[in-house]
Amino acid sequence: MSLDALDALYKEVILDHYQNPRNNDSLESPSVATEGYNPVCGDQITLQLKMADGLIESVGLQGKGCAISQASASMMTEAIKGKTLEEAEATARRFRDFMTKGNDQPDSLGDLEVLEGVRMFPVRIKCATLGWNTLQEAIKEYRAGLRGGRLVIKEDENT
Ligand code: ZN
């Protein structure tokens, strides 16, 4: 897919996050660190969460891959910082619903809605949801008392 197919403003926001990813840090002692890999496009990220007092105190993100995957993960880090795990999960669910079914609650996702155009390109939805699926895996691992793991997105699932 060419980014030219997306609205110009959306493209600008996506490219800004791609070129200047937020929370592009390596945390010294994360509570959990999870890798996510999307074999369809070759996107990969490592997501670190540091928990304190029940909140996601800091987020570290490293990754490489297409603009959609990296921009979505960057926006995700901003959306979950300072939130509880339950709030982060709720946002992840809303984002996945938004990418697969469309949005009937305008304003609920803020900047993330610039990714709406990706819905026209089903194969790229896995790029947009990679960060979020990795987040959900990280939360699962953290709750299980694990320090991290690796998630490989299945090619035959929608998101
Ligand atoms: Zn991708």
Side-chain angles (χ1 to χ4, degrees):
M1 176 188 86
S2 161
L3 280 173
D4 293 342
L6 298 177
D7 179 270
L9 172 66
Y10 287 6
K11 183 174 155 184
E12 192 177 306
V13 175
I14 290 168
L15 284 178
D16 178 49
H17 276 272
Y18 176 52
Q19 289 162 354
N20 309 290
R22 315 301 195 266
N23 300 293
N24 182 21
D25 301 318
S26 182
L27 307 182
E28 282 197 7
S29 50
S31 307
V32 64
T34 300
E35 288 175 40
Y37 178 58
N38 169 21
V40 178
C41 183
D43 310 312
Q44 60 186 70
I45 66 163
T46 300
L47 177 69
Q48 301 173 311
L49 304 178
K50 183 160 179 135
M51 301 299 299
D53 300 324
L55 300 177
I56 301 173
E57 182 185 56
S58 40
V59 184
L61 174 70
Q62 295 104 49
K64 58 181 181 180
C66 72
I68 303 283
S69 67
Q70 303 303 309
S72 182
S74 169
M75 286 186 242
M76 175 198 70
T77 67
E78 291 195 311
I80 64 172
K81 209 164 162 180
K83 301 287 169 57
T84 66
L85 293 179
E86 291 72 22
E87 288 166 338
E89 283 180 306
T91 305
R93 274 195 301 273
R94 283 215 310 274
F95 182 73
R96 286 170 54 114
D97 283 351
F98 173 65
M99 291 311 294
T100 53
K101 297 176 212 158
N103 194 8
D104 47 14
Q105 300 177 334
D107 302 323
S108 66
L109 287 164
D111 276 359
L112 287 162
E113 295 185 9
V114 302
L115 292 165
E116 184 171 17
V118 175
R119 295 210 327 258
M120 291 184 289
F121 307 93
V123 71
R124 304 309 294 275
I125 291 177
K126 287 179 203 295
C127 303
T129 55
L130 175 65
W132 299 87
N133 286 324
T134 306
L135 169 69
Q136 289 182 304
E137 179 71 13
I139 291 173
K140 200 169 85 184
E141 288 163 356
Y142 175 75
R143 285 186 174 138
L146 304 172
R147 301 296 302 272
R150 186 162 195 263
L151 174 72
V152 177
I153 303 301
K154 293 187 184 71
E155 301 194 21
D156 56 355
E157 284 179 7
N158 285 334
T159 56

Tab-separated table of all heavy atoms in Angstrom, residues 38 40-43 65-70 123-124 126-128 130, ligand 1:
chain	number	residue	atom	x	y	z
A	38	ASN	N	5.377	-9.383	13.298
A	38	ASN	CA	4.343	-9.571	12.278
A	38	ASN	C	4.998	-10.104	11.008
A	38	ASN	O	5.563	-9.340	10.227
A	38	ASN	CB	3.653	-8.233	12.006
A	38	ASN	CG	2.753	-8.277	10.780
A	38	ASN	OD1	2.328	-9.343	10.349
A	38	ASN	ND2	2.478	-7.117	10.221
A	40	VAL	N	3.902	-11.149	8.271
A	40	VAL	CA	3.296	-10.780	6.993
A	40	VAL	C	4.041	-9.601	6.368
A	40	VAL	O	4.225	-9.527	5.157
A	40	VAL	CB	1.801	-10.434	7.189
A	40	VAL	CG1	1.168	-10.004	5.880
A	40	VAL	CG2	1.062	-11.629	7.782
A	41	CYS	N	4.485	-8.677	7.235
A	41	CYS	CA	5.125	-7.453	6.741
A	41	CYS	C	6.570	-7.326	7.216
A	41	CYS	O	7.327	-6.527	6.691
A	41	CYS	CB	4.289	-6.262	7.209
A	41	CYS	SG	4.815	-4.637	6.670
A	42	GLY	N	6.945	-8.140	8.200
A	42	GLY	CA	8.301	-8.064	8.740
A	42	GLY	C	8.469	-7.044	9.857
A	42	GLY	O	9.594	-6.709	10.236
A	43	ASP	N	7.360	-6.549	10.382
A	43	ASP	CA	7.433	-5.551	11.454
A	43	ASP	C	7.802	-6.212	12.769
A	43	ASP	O	7.296	-7.294	13.085
A	43	ASP	CB	6.068	-4.881	11.670
A	43	ASP	CG	5.458	-4.389	10.373
A	43	ASP	OD1	6.185	-3.733	9.603
A	43	ASP	OD2	4.271	-4.669	10.144
A	65	GLY	N	10.256	-1.536	11.068
A	65	GLY	CA	9.216	-2.056	10.201
A	65	GLY	C	8.550	-0.899	9.487
A	65	GLY	O	9.089	0.201	9.422
A	66	CYS	N	7.363	-1.164	8.969
A	66	CYS	CA	6.703	-0.159	8.147
A	66	CYS	C	6.178	0.997	8.997
A	66	CYS	O	6.061	0.901	10.217
A	66	CYS	CB	5.556	-0.803	7.374
A	66	CYS	SG	4.144	-1.246	8.395
A	67	ALA	N	5.855	2.089	8.327
A	67	ALA	CA	5.399	3.303	9.009
A	67	ALA	C	4.141	3.061	9.830
A	67	ALA	O	4.008	3.573	10.946
A	67	ALA	CB	5.156	4.409	7.985
A	68	ILE	N	3.216	2.265	9.285
A	68	ILE	CA	1.957	2.023	10.000
A	68	ILE	C	2.217	1.317	11.338
A	68	ILE	O	1.689	1.694	12.377
A	68	ILE	CB	1.008	1.139	9.149
A	68	ILE	CG1	0.738	1.764	7.783
A	68	ILE	CG2	-0.273	0.834	9.904
A	68	ILE	CD1	-0.209	2.886	7.747
A	69	SER	N	3.040	0.289	11.293
A	69	SER	CA	3.291	-0.488	12.523
A	69	SER	C	3.998	0.358	13.568
A	69	SER	O	3.645	0.317	14.756
A	69	SER	CB	4.133	-1.738	12.205
A	69	SER	OG	5.455	-1.392	11.800
A	70	GLN	N	4.988	1.120	13.128
A	70	GLN	CA	5.788	1.868	14.095
A	70	GLN	C	5.025	3.083	14.615
A	70	GLN	O	5.115	3.440	15.794
A	70	GLN	CB	7.127	2.279	13.472
A	70	GLN	CG	7.944	1.099	12.944
A	70	GLN	CD	8.238	0.040	13.999
A	70	GLN	OE1	8.722	0.340	15.084
A	70	GLN	NE2	7.925	-1.219	13.693
A	123	VAL	N	-4.698	-6.169	4.682
A	123	VAL	CA	-3.439	-6.836	5.009
A	123	VAL	C	-2.602	-5.958	5.948
A	123	VAL	O	-1.754	-6.454	6.684
A	123	VAL	CB	-2.651	-7.205	3.733
A	123	VAL	CG1	-2.085	-5.973	3.062
A	123	VAL	CG2	-1.550	-8.195	4.043
A	124	ARG	N	-2.866	-4.655	5.928
A	124	ARG	CA	-2.086	-3.762	6.791
A	124	ARG	C	-2.668	-3.620	8.183
A	124	ARG	O	-2.069	-2.965	9.028
A	124	ARG	CB	-1.976	-2.379	6.147
A	124	ARG	CG	-1.396	-2.389	4.748
A	124	ARG	CD	-0.083	-3.163	4.659
A	124	ARG	NE	1.002	-2.559	5.405
A	124	ARG	CZ	1.782	-1.598	4.920
A	124	ARG	NH1	1.607	-1.115	3.731
A	124	ARG	NH2	2.756	-1.109	5.658
A	126	LYS	N	-2.849	-5.825	10.379
A	126	LYS	CA	-1.907	-6.497	11.294
A	126	LYS	C	-0.748	-5.577	11.670
A	126	LYS	O	-0.184	-5.696	12.750
A	126	LYS	CB	-1.337	-7.753	10.654
A	126	LYS	CG	-2.301	-8.908	10.545
A	126	LYS	CD	-1.591	-10.069	9.858
A	126	LYS	CE	-2.564	-11.026	9.217
A	126	LYS	NZ	-3.407	-11.714	10.164
A	127	CYS	N	-0.376	-4.696	10.762
A	127	CYS	CA	0.675	-3.725	11.061
A	127	CYS	C	0.189	-2.767	12.151
A	127	CYS	O	0.897	-2.492	13.116
A	127	CYS	CB	1.037	-2.917	9.812
A	127	CYS	SG	1.571	-3.922	8.409
A	128	ALA	N	-1.043	-2.282	11.965
A	128	ALA	CA	-1.584	-1.289	12.902
A	128	ALA	C	-1.854	-1.882	14.276
A	128	ALA	O	-1.772	-1.186	15.280
A	128	ALA	CB	-2.862	-0.682	12.324
A	130	LEU	N	-0.188	-4.515	15.617
A	130	LEU	CA	0.955	-5.238	16.193
A	130	LEU	C	1.295	-4.737	17.601
A	130	LEU	O	1.445	-5.523	18.537
A	130	LEU	CB	2.187	-5.123	15.283
A	130	LEU	CG	3.470	-5.736	15.858
A	130	LEU	CD1	3.326	-7.254	16.012
A	130	LEU	CD2	4.690	-5.404	14.991
B	1	ZN	ZN	3.832	-3.421	8.420
